[in-house]
Amino acid sequence: EQPELLREQEEATVEDTLQHLRQQKRVLLDADEGRAAQFGDVLIIDMQGFELNEEGSRGAELEIGSAEGMKFELGGGGFSKEMQESLVGIKVGETRDCQVALGRNAGDMGGQKIICAVTCQAIKEQKLPEINDEFAKGLKREEQFKQAGTLEGIPEEEQGIVETYTVADLRAEIAQEVRQVSATQSNANIDEQLKSHLRQTVKVRCEWAALSQEVQAEEELAAIARAVAVREDLLGSIDMDAVSRETWDRLAVPDSGETVKEVGKDPAREYQAMHKKILVEKVMEEVLVWLRQRTEIVPAGE
């Protein structure tokens, strides 16, 4: 059974995810004329920064701390707690002076206090949708619309489910994703410990070239993993045809900022290097799976 604490964490994460999805579907409506801003409203503001004089008045204008048409949620972060509290009650057309301390990204002025003159241009009320079956159906329709434009398309088991999809189904789907992410993170932590144990248990000497410390550590771990795979007869589980296909797929991925992958001067060498890299990854995956199956997980400190 899942421990009670983990079950509570999962339920909390599901609820947080639903609220995030709800926030994405919000509609902003003009607040009633003359209404003062309150927490939860979205403000459209102009800002002008000024130096802070000793007596607390405005000094010279600054470029930093200035902006026009900025949108932010009052109480939703983005500004200091003190500044947000000082803007509660502001009305459209009103200007308020707020003292703020600049962060480290402000360069030479980092840490200094300045005045931000904030002028409210508009106040928007957030209208959030109810979390119900119609909300869930809308999200599933959007998801399937995006899936329909991919090579894989809509999964066969999900075709035609939109009209019967409920908020309970949405919660269950989110919970499953939460468990999958948790399991992936847990396996990643275990894998790092297993790799560390392999390095400590088996010693490999690299004498073929002068390598950086990082590259040498990678080569040593790859050699250890291959030795384990050979000894335990794990190499037969690797689909070499799939390795070749993945090699070609990765070689076809354009470099960052490019739309087409340029063929290198030595395609054969590039293929061999990528093929080796992928094979090393597959060998390590097989070894880690084999080790996890034989590993006893105990609480830290035992």
Side-chain angles (χ1 to χ4, degrees), residues 247-292:
T247 300
W248 287 118
D249 288 343
R250 290 204 201 175
L251 287 172
V253 175
D255 296 329
S256 179
E258 303 291 336
T259 56
V260 178
K261 177 67 175 180
E262 296 288 340
V263 178
K265 295 181 179 180
D266 194 342
R269 184 180 294 274
E270 291 180 4
Y271 177 87
Q272 292 170 3
M274 183 61 72
H275 189 275
K276 175 189 174 184
K277 179 181 178 181
I278 294 173
L279 184 57
V280 167
E281 292 173 2
K282 299 301 181 184
V283 171
M284 181 60 69
E285 288 174 8
E286 291 295 328
V287 169
L288 290 174
V289 168
W290 183 83
L291 287 172
R292 281 201 299 269

Side-chain angles (χ1 to χ4, degrees), residues 200-223:
Q200 296 172 15
T201 305
V202 184
K203 298 300 179 184
V204 177
R205 294 179 60 189
C206 297
E207 300 179 346
W208 50 84
L211 302 174
S212 68
Q213 188 173 358
E214 181 180 356
V215 173
Q216 181 170 326
E218 292 176 357
E219 292 290 347
E220 289 177 353
L221 185 59

Side-chain angles (χ1 to χ4, degrees), residues 170-184:
L170 176 60
R171 287 182 180 274
E173 194 171 298
I174 295 172
Q176 182 180 6
E177 292 177 1
V178 170
R179 289 192 292 271
Q180 288 175 343
V181 170
S182 177
T184 299

Side-chain angles (χ1 to χ4, degrees), residues 175-204:
Q176 182 180 6
E177 292 177 1
V178 170
R179 289 192 292 271
Q180 288 175 343
V181 170
S182 177
T184 299
Q185 292 174 340
S186 177
N187 283 339
N189 292 334
I190 294 171
D191 288 349
E192 287 305 312
Q193 294 183 53
L194 291 174
K195 290 177 183 180
S196 177
H197 183 70
L198 283 174
R199 289 190 178 99
Q200 296 172 15
T201 305
V202 184
K203 298 300 179 184
V204 177

